[in-house]
Amino acid sequence: MKLYFAPMTCSLSSHIVLRELGLPFELIRVNNHSKRTADGRDFREINPKGYVAALSLDNGEVLTEGPAILQYLADQVPQHKLAPANGTWERSRLQEHLNFISSEIHGASAPLFNNEIPESIKAIFKQTLFKRLDFISQTLAPQDYLMGTFTVADAYLFTVLQWLPTFNIDIENWPVLATYIKHIAERPSVRSAIAAEQATHPV
């Protein structure tokens, strides 16, 4: 497998999960602006959508969209229990978490990366994001992880919460989330994924 990634993007969650599962893979960096890959290709030939993550399988298939990639990977090594079994109530709950993170936290963060949007407008987006952070903080208050044990949803949530300092949002305003991030950051898979991405050369 090949994981196409860009630093500080949602592709980190797939990278973390690959390392959690111990699956063999090749890490290929993508320049988000030029759309060139570290191995000299036009990334849009791999993923016409033009953004990471993309997972290229050995059979030639390419899977995109973080929640889909995360669930696919978890199902390759079910004994690691990074996702409940398909068809169970717990799997539906996991998908609920993934969709909430994708649409309400990841999606709500997207406009904040745009330097052309005035700060007064960004403030409106931030207020919506703060409500979502309040909710997820309440969810995590009685437990260490979204599903009680570490799953792919935690890899995804950890990744998007890492963006908050970029938006001048202090995670310490949500002590539960601050503790959650510190806890997950200690996982060997997270440390090794971040180190590996930092060690790659810019494209």
CSV table of all heavy atoms in Angstrom, one decimal, residues 59-80:
chain,number,residue,atom,x,y,z
A,59,ASN,N,-3.6,-3.8,-5.5
A,59,ASN,CA,-4.4,-4.3,-6.7
A,59,ASN,C,-4.7,-3.1,-7.6
A,59,ASN,O,-5.4,-3.3,-8.6
A,59,ASN,CB,-5.7,-5.0,-6.2
A,59,ASN,CG,-6.6,-4.0,-5.5
A,59,ASN,OD1,-6.4,-2.8,-5.4
A,59,ASN,ND2,-7.8,-4.6,-5.0
A,60,GLY,N,-4.2,-1.9,-7.4
A,60,GLY,CA,-4.4,-0.8,-8.2
A,60,GLY,C,-5.6,0.1,-7.8
A,60,GLY,O,-5.7,1.2,-8.4
A,61,GLU,N,-6.4,-0.3,-6.9
A,61,GLU,CA,-7.5,0.5,-6.5
A,61,GLU,C,-7.0,1.7,-5.6
A,61,GLU,O,-6.0,1.5,-4.9
A,61,GLU,CB,-8.5,-0.3,-5.7
A,61,GLU,CG,-9.3,-1.4,-6.4
A,61,GLU,CD,-10.4,-0.8,-7.3
A,61,GLU,OE1,-10.6,0.4,-7.2
A,61,GLU,OE2,-11.0,-1.6,-8.1
A,62,VAL,N,-7.7,2.8,-5.7
A,62,VAL,CA,-7.3,3.9,-4.8
A,62,VAL,C,-8.5,4.3,-4.0
A,62,VAL,O,-9.6,4.5,-4.5
A,62,VAL,CB,-6.8,5.1,-5.7
A,62,VAL,CG1,-6.6,6.3,-4.8
A,62,VAL,CG2,-5.6,4.8,-6.4
A,63,LEU,N,-8.3,4.4,-2.7
A,63,LEU,CA,-9.4,4.8,-1.8
A,63,LEU,C,-9.1,6.2,-1.3
A,63,LEU,O,-8.0,6.5,-0.8
A,63,LEU,CB,-9.5,3.8,-0.6
A,63,LEU,CG,-10.7,3.9,0.3
A,63,LEU,CD1,-12.0,3.7,-0.4
A,63,LEU,CD2,-10.5,2.9,1.4
A,64,THR,N,-10.2,7.0,-1.3
A,64,THR,CA,-10.0,8.4,-0.7
A,64,THR,C,-11.1,8.6,0.3
A,64,THR,O,-11.9,7.8,0.6
A,64,THR,CB,-10.2,9.4,-1.9
A,64,THR,OG1,-11.5,9.4,-2.4
A,64,THR,CG2,-9.2,9.2,-3.0
A,65,GLU,N,-11.0,9.8,1.0
A,65,GLU,CA,-11.9,10.2,2.1
A,65,GLU,C,-11.5,9.5,3.4
A,65,GLU,O,-11.6,8.3,3.5
A,65,GLU,CB,-13.4,10.0,1.8
A,65,GLU,CG,-13.8,10.7,0.5
A,65,GLU,CD,-13.6,12.2,0.5
A,65,GLU,OE1,-13.7,12.8,1.6
A,65,GLU,OE2,-13.3,12.8,-0.5
A,66,GLY,N,-11.0,10.3,4.3
A,66,GLY,CA,-10.5,9.8,5.5
A,66,GLY,C,-11.3,8.8,6.3
A,66,GLY,O,-10.8,7.7,6.6
A,67,PRO,N,-12.6,9.0,6.5
A,67,PRO,CA,-13.4,8.0,7.3
A,67,PRO,C,-13.5,6.7,6.5
A,67,PRO,O,-13.5,5.6,7.2
A,67,PRO,CB,-14.8,8.7,7.4
A,67,PRO,CG,-14.5,10.1,7.4
A,67,PRO,CD,-13.3,10.3,6.4
A,68,ALA,N,-13.5,6.7,5.2
A,68,ALA,CA,-13.6,5.4,4.4
A,68,ALA,C,-12.2,4.7,4.6
A,68,ALA,O,-12.2,3.5,4.8
A,68,ALA,CB,-13.9,5.7,3.0
A,69,ILE,N,-11.1,5.4,4.4
A,69,ILE,CA,-9.8,4.8,4.6
A,69,ILE,C,-9.6,4.2,6.0
A,69,ILE,O,-9.1,3.1,6.1
A,69,ILE,CB,-8.7,5.9,4.3
A,69,ILE,CG1,-8.8,6.3,2.8
A,69,ILE,CG2,-7.3,5.3,4.6
A,69,ILE,CD1,-7.8,7.5,2.5
A,70,LEU,N,-10.0,5.0,7.0
A,70,LEU,CA,-9.8,4.5,8.3
A,70,LEU,C,-10.6,3.2,8.6
A,70,LEU,O,-10.0,2.3,9.2
A,70,LEU,CB,-10.3,5.6,9.3
A,70,LEU,CG,-9.5,6.9,9.3
A,70,LEU,CD1,-10.2,7.9,10.2
A,70,LEU,CD2,-8.1,6.6,9.8
A,71,GLN,N,-11.8,3.1,8.1
A,71,GLN,CA,-12.6,1.9,8.4
A,71,GLN,C,-12.0,0.7,7.6
A,71,GLN,O,-12.0,-0.4,8.0
A,71,GLN,CB,-14.1,2.2,8.0
A,71,GLN,CG,-14.7,3.1,9.0
A,71,GLN,CD,-16.1,3.4,8.7
A,71,GLN,OE1,-17.0,2.6,9.1
A,71,GLN,NE2,-16.4,4.5,8.0
A,72,TYR,N,-11.6,1.0,6.3
A,72,TYR,CA,-11.0,0.0,5.5
A,72,TYR,C,-9.8,-0.6,6.2
A,72,TYR,O,-9.6,-1.8,6.3
A,72,TYR,CB,-10.6,0.5,4.1
A,72,TYR,CG,-9.8,-0.5,3.3
A,72,TYR,CD1,-10.4,-1.5,2.6
A,72,TYR,CD2,-8.4,-0.4,3.3
A,72,TYR,CE1,-9.7,-2.4,1.9
A,72,TYR,CE2,-7.7,-1.3,2.6
A,72,TYR,CZ,-8.3,-2.3,1.9
A,72,TYR,OH,-7.6,-3.2,1.2
A,73,LEU,N,-8.9,0.3,6.7
A,73,LEU,CA,-7.7,-0.2,7.3
A,73,LEU,C,-8.0,-1.0,8.6
A,73,LEU,O,-7.4,-2.1,8.8
A,73,LEU,CB,-6.8,1.0,7.7
A,73,LEU,CG,-6.2,1.7,6.5
A,73,LEU,CD1,-5.4,3.0,7.0
A,73,LEU,CD2,-5.2,0.8,5.8
A,74,ALA,N,-8.9,-0.5,9.4
A,74,ALA,CA,-9.3,-1.2,10.6
A,74,ALA,C,-9.8,-2.6,10.3
A,74,ALA,O,-9.5,-3.6,11.1
A,74,ALA,CB,-10.3,-0.4,11.4
A,75,ASP,N,-10.5,-2.8,9.2
A,75,ASP,CA,-11.1,-4.1,8.9
A,75,ASP,C,-10.1,-5.1,8.4
A,75,ASP,O,-10.3,-6.3,8.3
A,75,ASP,CB,-12.2,-3.9,7.9
A,75,ASP,CG,-13.5,-3.3,8.5
A,75,ASP,OD1,-13.6,-3.3,9.7
A,75,ASP,OD2,-14.3,-2.7,7.7
A,76,GLN,N,-8.9,-4.6,8.0
A,76,GLN,CA,-7.8,-5.5,7.5
A,76,GLN,C,-7.2,-6.2,8.7
A,76,GLN,O,-6.7,-7.3,8.5
A,76,GLN,CB,-6.7,-4.7,6.8
A,76,GLN,CG,-7.2,-3.8,5.6
A,76,GLN,CD,-8.1,-4.6,4.7
A,76,GLN,OE1,-7.7,-5.6,4.1
A,76,GLN,NE2,-9.4,-4.2,4.6
A,77,VAL,N,-7.2,-5.7,9.9
A,77,VAL,CA,-6.7,-6.4,11.0
A,77,VAL,C,-7.7,-6.3,12.2
A,77,VAL,O,-7.5,-5.5,13.2
A,77,VAL,CB,-5.3,-5.7,11.5
A,77,VAL,CG1,-4.6,-6.6,12.5
A,77,VAL,CG2,-4.5,-5.4,10.3
A,78,PRO,N,-8.8,-7.0,12.1
A,78,PRO,CA,-9.9,-6.8,13.0
A,78,PRO,C,-9.5,-7.1,14.5
A,78,PRO,O,-10.2,-6.6,15.4
A,78,PRO,CB,-11.0,-7.8,12.5
A,78,PRO,CG,-10.3,-8.7,11.6
A,78,PRO,CD,-9.1,-8.0,11.0
A,79,GLN,N,-8.5,-8.0,14.6
A,79,GLN,CA,-8.2,-8.3,16.0
A,79,GLN,C,-7.6,-7.2,16.8
A,79,GLN,O,-7.6,-7.2,18.0
A,79,GLN,CB,-7.2,-9.5,16.0
A,79,GLN,CG,-5.8,-9.2,15.3
A,79,GLN,CD,-5.9,-9.7,13.8
A,79,GLN,OE1,-6.9,-9.6,13.2
A,79,GLN,NE2,-4.7,-10.1,13.3
A,80,HIS,N,-7.2,-6.1,16.1
A,80,HIS,CA,-6.7,-4.9,16.8
A,80,HIS,C,-7.9,-4.1,17.4
A,80,HIS,O,-7.6,-3.2,18.2
A,80,HIS,CB,-5.8,-4.1,15.9
A,80,HIS,CG,-4.4,-4.6,15.8
A,80,HIS,ND1,-3.3,-3.9,16.4
A,80,HIS,CD2,-3.9,-5.7,15.3
A,80,HIS,CE1,-2.2,-4.6,16.2
A,80,HIS,NE2,-2.5,-5.7,15.5
